[in-house]
Amino acid sequence: MGSVLSYFGGLCGEKKAIEEERFLRANDRPFNLAYKYANNAIKTSKYNIITFLPLNLFEQFRRLANAYFFFLFCLQLIPQVSSLSWFTTAVPLVLVLSITAVKDANDDINRHKNDKQVNNRMVEVLVDGELKKEKWMNVEVGDIVKLGSNEFVTADLLLLSSSEPLNLVYVETAELDGETNLKVKQALTVTGDMGDCIEVLANFKGEVKCEPPNNRLDKFRGNLTVNQQTYSLDNDKVLLRGCTLRNTEWCFGVVIFGGPDTKLMQNSGKTSFKRTSIDHLMNVLVLCIFGFLAFMCTVLSIGNAIWEAHEGSNFTAFLPREPGIDTGLSSFLTFWSYVIVLNTVVPISLYVSVEIIRLGNSFFIDWDRKMYYPKNDTPAQARTTTLNEELGQIKYIFSDKTGTLTQNIMTFNKCTINGKAYGELFDFAGQRVEITEKTEKVDFSWNRLADPKFVFHDHSLMETVREGSPEAQDFFRLLALCHTVMPEEKKEGELYYQAQSPDEGALVTAARNFGFVFRSRTPETITVMEMDRHVNYELLAVLDFNNVRKRMSVIVRNPEGKLTLYCKGADTIIYERLHPSCNKLMEVTSGHLSEYAGDGLRTLVLASKELDERYVDDWMQRHHEAVIAMDGREEKLDELYEEMEKDMMLLGATAVEDKLQDGVPQTIEQLSKADIKIWVLTGDKQETAENIGYSCNMLREEMKEVFVVAANTAEEVEEELRNARRKMCPEAPDKATVIRSRAGLFWLEKTKTVEDEKVDGQYGLIINGHSLAFALEKGMELELLRTACMCQTVICCRVTPLQKAQVVKLVKKYKQAVTLAIGDGANDVSMIKAAHIGVGISGQEGMQAALSSDFSFAQFRYLQRLLLVHGRWSYIRMCKFLQYFFYKNFTFTFVHFWYAFFCGFSAQTVYDEWFITLYNMVYTALPVLGLSLFDQDVNDRWSFQYPQLYVPGQLNMYFSKKAFVQCALHSGYSSLVLFFIPWAAMHDTVRDDGKDVADYQSFALLAQTCLLIVMNTQLCLDTHYWTAVNQFFVWGSLAAYFAITFTMYSNGMFLLFTSAFPFVGTSRNSLNQPNVWLTIFLTSLLCLLPVVAFRFIRIQLRPTINDKVRYKVRREALPAPAPRRPPARRVSTRKSGYAFSHSQGYGDLVTSRKFLLKRVVRPRQVIFAQTDSPLAQNQPQHYRTIAEEPEVTKNVSWEL
C-alpha cells in the first residue's frame, strides 16, 4: 500500500526536501536517524504484488493507441452504434495488454532478485561495542563497518584506519571507472591511530559535515570534528560503494552515504524512457491518421444524412426506424459506427507486431556468434528491446578511451640506444617484417628473475646487452633505478611490482628481463641485480615528476662511490637540457622518435650525467633548506632541479604501446566510411589521449591540421575556437544560424537545429576539460559545436562524467542526429544515459556501464557489426514493415469507404466479420513478420564491404512523412482496383447454370480473396531474402485462409452457430466459377503491374546505393574476408610521441621511512594494472603483474 501511496504522492507533487549539507555523528544511530537519511538498502524495482496491476495498466493506458482501442471497445458495447461484434477489438486488446504486462513483470522480477542479492550481502558492523554480522540493507548512516581484503565496499565510507602503514588502503575501482589498476586511499592520522582497537572505535564520536549526495566520483569535500579539532576531508579519505578492497587485510570506515545516496547509485540515476525516431514519427502519423479517420467518418455521416433524407423514407416500410431516431441522430450514430468499421487504419496489431519484430531482432544480436568473446565467455546482449532500428541511424559516436578503445595493457615495444633502433625485424632484403604470434621470441631463460609474460622479438638487443655494451647497460640501469615502483617478493625469485602508473611498470619489467632486476628499496637505497650481480645503490634524491616538468630524475651513488644523475622525460624537455656534444645523436634519436610517434607509441627520452661529490654535497644542503622553507618552497625546488638537470648525456629513448583492443583501428575506419563521426571523451591526460588518437587512426598525419584548445580563460577559449573555425571555413558567418521548428505529438516540441557547414579537407580537434568547462557555457556552446562538427575527429581530455553527458546533450539538442555513447565504467553512465543509444563494454572491467546500457558486448570492434549489420538490417526491416503494414491496412479500410457509397452509408461492412477479425491477427500477421525478421538487402559481408550502405538510414530515406504519403496514395489506388474491378465483374453476372452470383456474400468473398492475394504478392515483391520460414508463412497464410473460409462457410458451422456463421455455402458457390478466378487474376495484375513498372524505371534512372550494391552482388562472387594487413609505417610529422600517465607527489612517499615499515608478509591477490587513470592527478595508482594467460591476438579482419 505504501508503494501505491508513494507513487500517487509523487504524481500529486509531493517532494522530498532537498538536502543542502550532510551532518552525522559516528556510533550514534538515534542522532542520525533524526535526519531521516536513506539506509543502505537499494531498490531498482518498480512494482510489488499489490501495485503491479493498477500501476502497469495505468502506464499502458497512457499510450495513446491503447486508450484509443479501449474507447473503441466501449463503443462496441453500445448496440445503436456497434456495427461489429465486441470481440473484434476486445481479443486483440487483451492480448496486447497481457503480453506487455508479462514482459514488464518478468523484467521487474529480475530487478527484485538483483536487489535482494545485493541487499542481503553480509558485513561486520560495530554495534554496542562489538562487531556483528549485518545485512547490507540494515546498515545506517554513521555506523562503523569493518571490511576485509577482496570485499566490496558496503557504502560510501570515510576511511578511519587500516592494517597498512600510513593508514593506506588499496582499492580497485573497476565498477566505477572500468580501471583495474589499484588506487591508494589514506585515512587521517587522528583516526588512523585507533587501529583495530574495538573499544577505542566504539567510543569514537567524530562528527562529519560534508556535501549532500551527488554523482561526482572524483570530488568530495567535508570536515571531520574530533575532540573539538576540525580536519579537512577530500576524495582520498573516502571509499566509494562499488570499489573492492585489495591487498589490505582490514580497514574500518564510518558510513557517510548509504544505498540510493551513494555516488554509485547517484550515477546510475533515473533511467529515462528512450524512444526511437521512428516511434516519434509514428506518434505524429497516428495522430494524422486519427484526423483522417475523423474526416472520413464525417464525410460518410454527412452522406448518411443526405441519403436518409432523400432515399431512406423508401425503406421504412420494411426497415422501420427505432422510436426517437431521426435523420440527424441517425447521422450522428453513423459517425461512431464508421469509427468502429474504419478503425483498421490504426490496427492494434501494429503495436504487437512492432514489439515482436524488435524482440526478434534483439535475439539475433544475443545469438550472434561473431559478437561472442570466448576469452571471458561474454556474448553480446540487447538489454533494451525497443531501440534496435535506431542502431541503423547513428551519426555521432561518443567513446570513452580507457578500457573501451584500449586493453589497459602497457607493453615495452621498441627502443633506441646510442643511435641504434631496436624492436623491429627485417628480412634479408631489408624489408620490415610484421611481428605475429608465430614470430620467434627472445629467450630469457638465462635470467632466473625474468618475468615469464614479457615478450620481445628483436634478438639483437639481448645480444648487445649481454656483450657488455656500456651504453645499453646504462640504458637499462636507468630504467631499473629512475622510478617510484614498489617491489614485493613473496618467495625467492617471485617479484611483483606496484607502480603508480602502468608505463613505469612496463619499463621496470623490461629492465628486469634484460638483466637489470629491481629487487628492493629502502628510503636510502635501491638494490638491483645487474647481470646476476648484486648491486646496492645509495639513493640521495628523487626529483619528482609533475605536469610542468614532464620529467623525473634520481641521484644515486654506486658501490664504487661514483655519483650519477639519471633522468627520463618528454623529448622536447630533455633535448633542451642535453650537452652540446649530443647534437648528432639527438638528430638520429629524433628520427627514431618520429617513427615511434607515427606508430602511435608513447615515448620517453633517457639521459644521465656524472656528478662531482662536492657539488652534490652543496646541492643537497640547499635542497634540504628548500624542502623545509615555509615560503616559496615549490619555486626554490624548481630552481634547484633546473640547476641539476642540465648538460646531460643522451642515452636513448623508450617506446611503450598502450595496447588497443583488437580491431579498433579497422572498426574506426569502417565507421568513418559510413559517415559516422567519432568523438572520444576521456578523463586521461592530453598527451595520452592524443597518442591513442593516432594509434587508432582517428587522428591522421594527412589531416590538414589538428587544433588543440587548452586555454585558461573563457575569452581565450572562445578566441581559439573561433580561429580554428575560420581556418577550416573562412567564408562561414561569425554567428551560428539556428533553425527553429516544431515537432513531436501535437507539434508541441520546440527544436533548434544548427546546420552542418562544409569544410575542405579533414581536421581534428583536441580540447581539455578546463577549456571544455568554459566552452559549454551558454554563450559559447554554439561556437564549440560549430567548430567540433567541422572536424572529422574530436578528442576531449580530462573531462568529468558530467561534462561527458553535457557534450552528448549539446549535440542532441542542436544536431537532431542520432547519438551513441560507449563506455565501460560508472564514470560513463551519465553519458550512456544521455545518448539515444547507450553501449556498455562488459567483461573483466566494471559492469556498471553495461548494467546501465541498452546494448553490451566485450570488445569495441563488435560495434561495427552492431551498427553496420544488425542496426542497418533492423532499420530497413522496420521501415519495410511499416510501409507494408500501412499499405495493407489502408487498402483494407479504403475498400470499406468506397463500399459506403453503395450501401446507403449504413456502416455495413464489405467483408465477413470473421475475416475482419482474423485479417491482421492471422491471415497477414506471419508473412509480414517473416519479412520483418529475416529480410536482408545484402548479407553481412557485403555490408562490411560497402559501409556507405549505412548512410541512407542517417538521412531517414526509407521511412518518412513523404514515404507515408506515397504509401497512402498507393493504398488509395489499390483499393479502387480491389473494389471496382470485382464490383464491375460481378455486376449482373450469372453462373454457368444461369443462377445469379451477384449477392452481397459472394461479392464480400471475392473482394476479400482479391485483397489477400494482392497483399501476399506485394509482400513477395518487397522480399529480398527468401528463407524456408518466409515461404512457409506466405503459402501457409493463403492455405489457412482458404481452409478457414471453407470451414466457416460450411453447412456444419451454420447448423451449430447459425447467427455467427451466416455465409453458408458461399465459398462453394463462388470459387468454382472460372470468371471469379479470372477476376481475381485481373485485379491482382492491375494492382501490381504499376508497382513493378515504377520500380524498374526508378532503378534505371535514379538507382540508390542499395540498388547498385545488389546489382554487384548478383554479378560477383561473395567477397572474401579481408586479409589481415600489417600496419603501414606512417611518416610522422609529429614533434613528440610523449605520454606518461604519472602523477606528482609519489617521490616523497617512496622515500618515506614510514612507508617501508617491516611487516608480516601476507598472501596477496596479484592484480595486473591495465590502464592509466583518468584521475591520475588526484591519487597514486598501482601496477601489478600476474601469472595470467596472455590474450591471443585474434584476426578479426574477417568481420570487415
Side-chain angles (χ1 to χ4, degrees), residues 204-244:
F204 178 67
K205 298 294 181 185
E207 294 182 349
V208 176
K209 270 189 181 179
C210 66
E211 61 188 20
N214 60 71
N215 64 354
R216 294 190 297 274
L217 291 169
D218 57 341
K219 287 188 174 63
F220 178 82
R221 53 182 176 77
N223 293 314
L224 171 67
T225 303
V226 182
N227 300 326
Q228 299 182 341
Q229 293 290 318
T230 302
Y231 303 89
S232 176
L233 301 176
D234 58 25
N235 204 44
D236 288 338
K237 311 291 187 293
V238 176
L239 304 182
L240 300 182
R241 179 175 179 143
C243 297
T244 306

Short mmCIF file of all heavy atoms in Angstrom, two decimals, residues 204-244:
data_model
loop_
_atom_site.label_atom_id
_atom_site.label_comp_id
_atom_site.label_asym_id
_atom_site.label_seq_id
_atom_site.Cartn_x
_atom_site.Cartn_y
_atom_site.Cartn_z
N PHE A 204 34.44 6.25 19.58
CA PHE A 204 34.70 7.34 18.64
C PHE A 204 33.39 8.08 18.34
O PHE A 204 32.41 7.47 17.90
CB PHE A 204 35.30 6.77 17.36
CG PHE A 204 35.56 7.80 16.29
CD1 PHE A 204 36.53 8.77 16.46
CD2 PHE A 204 34.82 7.79 15.11
CE1 PHE A 204 36.76 9.71 15.46
CE2 PHE A 204 35.05 8.71 14.12
CZ PHE A 204 36.04 9.69 14.29
N LYS A 205 33.36 9.37 18.58
CA LYS A 205 32.14 10.17 18.36
C LYS A 205 32.40 11.33 17.40
O LYS A 205 31.85 12.42 17.54
CB LYS A 205 31.63 10.75 19.71
CG LYS A 205 31.24 9.69 20.72
CD LYS A 205 30.02 8.90 20.25
CE LYS A 205 29.62 7.84 21.29
NZ LYS A 205 28.53 6.98 20.81
N GLY A 206 33.26 11.09 16.44
CA GLY A 206 33.57 12.14 15.47
C GLY A 206 32.33 12.59 14.71
O GLY A 206 31.43 11.80 14.42
N GLU A 207 32.28 13.88 14.40
CA GLU A 207 31.15 14.45 13.65
C GLU A 207 31.62 14.87 12.26
O GLU A 207 32.67 15.51 12.11
CB GLU A 207 30.56 15.65 14.40
CG GLU A 207 29.92 15.26 15.73
CD GLU A 207 29.29 16.45 16.44
OE1 GLU A 207 29.53 17.60 16.00
OE2 GLU A 207 28.57 16.24 17.43
N VAL A 208 30.84 14.51 11.26
CA VAL A 208 31.19 14.81 9.87
C VAL A 208 30.18 15.79 9.29
O VAL A 208 28.96 15.58 9.39
CB VAL A 208 31.20 13.52 9.01
CG1 VAL A 208 31.47 13.86 7.55
CG2 VAL A 208 32.24 12.53 9.53
N LYS A 209 30.69 16.85 8.72
CA LYS A 209 29.87 17.77 7.91
C LYS A 209 30.42 17.70 6.50
O LYS A 209 31.61 17.91 6.28
CB LYS A 209 29.99 19.21 8.43
CG LYS A 209 28.98 19.59 9.47
CD LYS A 209 29.04 21.08 9.77
CE LYS A 209 28.01 21.45 10.84
NZ LYS A 209 28.06 22.89 11.18
N CYS A 210 29.54 17.41 5.55
CA CYS A 210 30.05 17.24 4.20
C CYS A 210 28.98 17.62 3.18
O CYS A 210 27.84 17.95 3.53
CB CYS A 210 30.51 15.80 3.97
SG CYS A 210 29.18 14.60 4.01
N GLU A 211 29.36 17.54 1.91
CA GLU A 211 28.46 17.84 0.80
C GLU A 211 27.27 16.89 0.80
O GLU A 211 27.37 15.76 1.32
CB GLU A 211 29.22 17.73 -0.51
CG GLU A 211 29.76 16.33 -0.75
CD GLU A 211 30.69 16.24 -1.95
OE1 GLU A 211 31.22 17.28 -2.38
OE2 GLU A 211 30.88 15.13 -2.45
N PRO A 212 26.14 17.29 0.22
CA PRO A 212 24.99 16.38 0.10
C PRO A 212 25.28 15.31 -0.95
O PRO A 212 26.27 15.40 -1.68
CB PRO A 212 23.86 17.32 -0.36
CG PRO A 212 24.54 18.43 -1.07
CD PRO A 212 25.86 18.62 -0.36
N PRO A 213 24.44 14.28 -1.03
CA PRO A 213 24.65 13.24 -2.04
C PRO A 213 24.73 13.83 -3.45
O PRO A 213 23.94 14.71 -3.80
CB PRO A 213 23.41 12.34 -1.89
CG PRO A 213 22.95 12.55 -0.49
CD PRO A 213 23.28 13.99 -0.17
N ASN A 214 25.70 13.37 -4.24
CA ASN A 214 25.86 13.85 -5.63
C ASN A 214 26.54 12.76 -6.44
O ASN A 214 26.94 11.72 -5.91
CB ASN A 214 26.65 15.16 -5.67
CG ASN A 214 28.03 15.01 -5.09
OD1 ASN A 214 28.91 14.38 -5.69
ND2 ASN A 214 28.25 15.55 -3.88
N ASN A 215 26.71 13.01 -7.73
CA ASN A 215 27.27 11.98 -8.63
C ASN A 215 28.70 12.25 -9.04
O ASN A 215 29.19 11.65 -9.99
CB ASN A 215 26.38 11.83 -9.87
CG ASN A 215 26.36 13.10 -10.71
OD1 ASN A 215 26.92 14.13 -10.32
ND2 ASN A 215 25.70 13.05 -11.85
N ARG A 216 29.40 13.16 -8.35
CA ARG A 216 30.79 13.48 -8.73
C ARG A 216 31.73 12.43 -8.13
O ARG A 216 31.99 12.44 -6.92
CB ARG A 216 31.15 14.89 -8.27
CG ARG A 216 30.37 15.99 -8.96
CD ARG A 216 30.94 17.36 -8.63
NE ARG A 216 30.83 17.68 -7.22
CZ ARG A 216 29.76 18.23 -6.65
NH1 ARG A 216 28.70 18.52 -7.39
NH2 ARG A 216 29.73 18.49 -5.36
N LEU A 217 32.24 11.55 -8.97
CA LEU A 217 33.07 10.44 -8.49
C LEU A 217 34.46 10.90 -8.05
O LEU A 217 35.10 10.24 -7.23
CB LEU A 217 33.23 9.40 -9.60
CG LEU A 217 31.96 8.62 -9.98
CD1 LEU A 217 32.21 7.85 -11.27
CD2 LEU A 217 31.56 7.68 -8.88
N ASP A 218 34.94 12.00 -8.61
CA ASP A 218 36.32 12.39 -8.38
C ASP A 218 36.47 13.52 -7.36
O ASP A 218 37.56 14.03 -7.17
CB ASP A 218 36.97 12.81 -9.70
CG ASP A 218 36.20 13.93 -10.39
OD1 ASP A 218 35.02 14.13 -10.04
OD2 ASP A 218 36.77 14.60 -11.26
N LYS A 219 35.38 13.92 -6.72
CA LYS A 219 35.47 15.04 -5.78
C LYS A 219 34.68 14.72 -4.51
O LYS A 219 33.63 14.07 -4.56
CB LYS A 219 34.92 16.33 -6.40
CG LYS A 219 35.84 16.95 -7.44
CD LYS A 219 35.32 18.32 -7.87
CE LYS A 219 36.30 19.03 -8.80
NZ LYS A 219 36.51 18.32 -10.04
N PHE A 220 35.20 15.19 -3.39
CA PHE A 220 34.48 15.11 -2.12
C PHE A 220 35.02 16.22 -1.23
O PHE A 220 36.23 16.46 -1.18
CB PHE A 220 34.69 13.75 -1.45
CG PHE A 220 34.00 13.64 -0.11
CD1 PHE A 220 32.65 13.32 -0.05
CD2 PHE A 220 34.68 13.88 1.07
CE1 PHE A 220 31.99 13.23 1.17
CE2 PHE A 220 34.03 13.80 2.30
CZ PHE A 220 32.68 13.47 2.34
N ARG A 221 34.12 16.91 -0.55
CA ARG A 221 34.58 17.94 0.39
C ARG A 221 33.77 17.83 1.67
O ARG A 221 32.57 17.57 1.66
CB ARG A 221 34.44 19.35 -0.20
CG ARG A 221 33.08 19.68 -0.72
CD ARG A 221 33.03 21.07 -1.35
NE ARG A 221 31.73 21.35 -1.92
CZ ARG A 221 30.64 21.67 -1.23
NH1 ARG A 221 30.72 21.76 0.09
NH2 ARG A 221 29.48 21.91 -1.82
N GLY A 222 34.48 17.98 2.79
CA GLY A 222 33.81 17.89 4.08
C GLY A 222 34.81 18.14 5.19
O GLY A 222 36.01 18.35 4.95
N ASN A 223 34.33 18.09 6.41
CA ASN A 223 35.17 18.28 7.59
C ASN A 223 34.83 17.23 8.62
O ASN A 223 33.66 16.82 8.75
CB ASN A 223 34.96 19.67 8.21
CG ASN A 223 35.45 20.78 7.32
OD1 ASN A 223 36.55 20.69 6.77
ND2 ASN A 223 34.65 21.82 7.15
N LEU A 224 35.85 16.79 9.35
CA LEU A 224 35.65 15.88 10.48
C LEU A 224 36.05 16.60 11.75
O LEU A 224 37.15 17.17 11.83
CB LEU A 224 36.51 14.62 10.29
CG LEU A 224 36.58 13.67 11.49
CD1 LEU A 224 35.21 13.03 11.75
CD2 LEU A 224 37.64 12.60 11.28
N THR A 225 35.15 16.60 12.72
CA THR A 225 35.45 17.24 14.01
C THR A 225 35.64 16.16 15.05
O THR A 225 34.73 15.36 15.31
CB THR A 225 34.31 18.19 14.42
OG1 THR A 225 34.12 19.16 13.38
CG2 THR A 225 34.64 18.91 15.72
N VAL A 226 36.84 16.12 15.66
CA VAL A 226 37.16 15.15 16.71
C VAL A 226 37.79 15.93 17.86
O VAL A 226 38.78 16.66 17.65
CB VAL A 226 38.14 14.07 16.21
CG1 VAL A 226 38.42 13.06 17.30
CG2 VAL A 226 37.60 13.38 14.97
N ASN A 227 37.22 15.77 19.05
CA ASN A 227 37.75 16.45 20.24
C ASN A 227 37.93 17.95 20.00
O ASN A 227 38.97 18.53 20.30
CB ASN A 227 39.08 15.82 20.68
CG ASN A 227 38.92 14.36 21.02
OD1 ASN A 227 37.87 13.95 21.54
ND2 ASN A 227 39.93 13.56 20.74
N GLN A 228 36.90 18.54 19.37
CA GLN A 228 36.86 19.98 19.09
C GLN A 228 37.95 20.44 18.11
O GLN A 228 38.18 21.64 17.97
CB GLN A 228 36.95 20.79 20.39
CG GLN A 228 35.78 20.50 21.34
CD GLN A 228 35.83 21.33 22.60
OE1 GLN A 228 36.89 21.86 22.96
NE2 GLN A 228 34.69 21.46 23.26
N GLN A 229 38.60 19.49 17.46
CA GLN A 229 39.56 19.82 16.41
C GLN A 229 38.93 19.46 15.07
O GLN A 229 38.34 18.38 14.92
CB GLN A 229 40.86 19.03 16.60
CG GLN A 229 41.66 19.41 17.83
CD GLN A 229 42.27 20.81 17.71
OE1 GLN A 229 42.79 21.17 16.66
NE2 GLN A 229 42.20 21.58 18.79
N THR A 230 39.06 20.35 14.07
CA THR A 230 38.44 20.11 12.76
C THR A 230 39.50 19.77 11.73
O THR A 230 40.55 20.44 11.65
CB THR A 230 37.65 21.36 12.31
OG1 THR A 230 36.67 21.66 13.29
CG2 THR A 230 36.96 21.10 10.97
N TYR A 231 39.22 18.72 10.95
CA TYR A 231 40.16 18.25 9.93
C TYR A 231 39.44 18.25 8.58
O TYR A 231 38.27 17.86 8.48
CB TYR A 231 40.65 16.84 10.26
CG TYR A 231 41.30 16.72 11.62
CD1 TYR A 231 40.52 16.45 12.74
CD2 TYR A 231 42.67 16.91 11.78
CE1 TYR A 231 41.10 16.35 14.00
CE2 TYR A 231 43.26 16.81 13.03
CZ TYR A 231 42.47 16.53 14.15
OH TYR A 231 43.06 16.44 15.38
N SER A 232 40.20 18.66 7.56
CA SER A 232 39.61 18.70 6.22
C SER A 232 39.57 17.31 5.60
O SER A 232 40.48 16.50 5.79
CB SER A 232 40.44 19.64 5.34
OG SER A 232 39.96 19.63 4.02
N LEU A 233 38.49 17.04 4.85
CA LEU A 233 38.33 15.75 4.18
C LEU A 233 38.28 15.98 2.67
O LEU A 233 37.67 16.94 2.20
CB LEU A 233 37.03 15.06 4.62
CG LEU A 233 36.87 14.78 6.12
CD1 LEU A 233 35.49 14.19 6.39
CD2 LEU A 233 37.96 13.83 6.61
N ASP A 234 38.91 15.07 1.92
CA ASP A 234 38.82 15.14 0.46
C ASP A 234 38.59 13.73 -0.09
O ASP A 234 38.36 12.78 0.67
CB ASP A 234 40.08 15.77 -0.15
CG ASP A 234 41.35 15.02 0.23
OD1 ASP A 234 41.25 13.82 0.55
OD2 ASP A 234 42.43 15.63 0.23
N ASN A 235 38.67 13.60 -1.39
CA ASN A 235 38.33 12.33 -2.04
C ASN A 235 39.27 11.20 -1.63
O ASN A 235 38.89 10.02 -1.69
CB ASN A 235 38.37 12.52 -3.57
CG ASN A 235 37.51 11.52 -4.30
OD1 ASN A 235 36.38 11.25 -3.89
ND2 ASN A 235 38.04 10.92 -5.34
N ASP A 236 40.50 11.53 -1.23
CA ASP A 236 41.46 10.50 -0.84
C ASP A 236 41.10 9.81 0.47
O ASP A 236 41.67 8.78 0.81
CB ASP A 236 42.86 11.10 -0.71
CG ASP A 236 43.45 11.44 -2.06
OD1 ASP A 236 42.99 10.85 -3.05
OD2 ASP A 236 44.35 12.28 -2.12
N LYS A 237 40.19 10.40 1.22
CA LYS A 237 39.82 9.85 2.54
C LYS A 237 38.55 9.01 2.46
O LYS A 237 38.07 8.51 3.48
CB LYS A 237 39.59 10.99 3.54
CG LYS A 237 40.67 12.07 3.59
CD LYS A 237 41.95 11.51 4.19
CE LYS A 237 42.99 12.60 4.41
NZ LYS A 237 43.50 13.17 3.16
N VAL A 238 37.98 8.87 1.27
CA VAL A 238 36.66 8.25 1.13
C VAL A 238 36.75 6.99 0.27
O VAL A 238 37.41 6.97 -0.77
CB VAL A 238 35.66 9.25 0.49
CG1 VAL A 238 34.31 8.58 0.25
CG2 VAL A 238 35.49 10.46 1.39
N LEU A 239 36.09 5.92 0.72
CA LEU A 239 35.94 4.70 -0.07
C LEU A 239 34.51 4.67 -0.61
O LEU A 239 33.55 4.79 0.16
CB LEU A 239 36.17 3.45 0.79
CG LEU A 239 37.50 3.34 1.53
CD1 LEU A 239 37.57 2.02 2.30
CD2 LEU A 239 38.66 3.42 0.56
N LEU A 240 34.38 4.52 -1.91
CA LEU A 240 33.07 4.58 -2.54
C LEU A 240 32.49 3.18 -2.74
O LEU A 240 33.21 2.22 -3.04
CB LEU A 240 33.16 5.27 -3.91
CG LEU A 240 33.66 6.72 -3.90
CD1 LEU A 240 33.64 7.28 -5.32
CD2 LEU A 240 32.82 7.59 -2.99
N ARG A 241 31.17 3.09 -2.56
CA ARG A 241 30.48 1.83 -2.86
C ARG A 241 30.76 1.45 -4.32
O ARG A 241 30.72 2.29 -5.20
CB ARG A 241 28.99 2.02 -2.64
CG ARG A 241 28.17 0.76 -2.95
CD ARG A 241 26.72 0.97 -2.59
NE ARG A 241 25.92 -0.22 -2.91
CZ ARG A 241 24.91 -0.66 -2.18
NH1 ARG A 241 24.57 -0.03 -1.08
NH2 ARG A 241 24.24 -1.73 -2.53
N GLY A 242 30.99 0.18 -4.54
CA GLY A 242 31.33 -0.29 -5.88
C GLY A 242 32.81 -0.62 -6.01
O GLY A 242 33.21 -1.35 -6.91
N CYS A 243 33.65 -0.06 -5.08
CA CYS A 243 35.06 -0.41 -5.08
C CYS A 243 35.26 -1.77 -4.41
O CYS A 243 34.38 -2.25 -3.69
CB CYS A 243 35.88 0.63 -4.32
SG CYS A 243 35.84 2.27 -5.06
N THR A 244 36.43 -2.35 -4.64
CA THR A 244 36.79 -3.61 -3.98
C THR A 244 38.10 -3.40 -3.24
O THR A 244 39.05 -2.85 -3.80
CB THR A 244 36.96 -4.74 -5.01
OG1 THR A 244 35.78 -4.82 -5.81
CG2 THR A 244 37.19 -6.07 -4.32
#
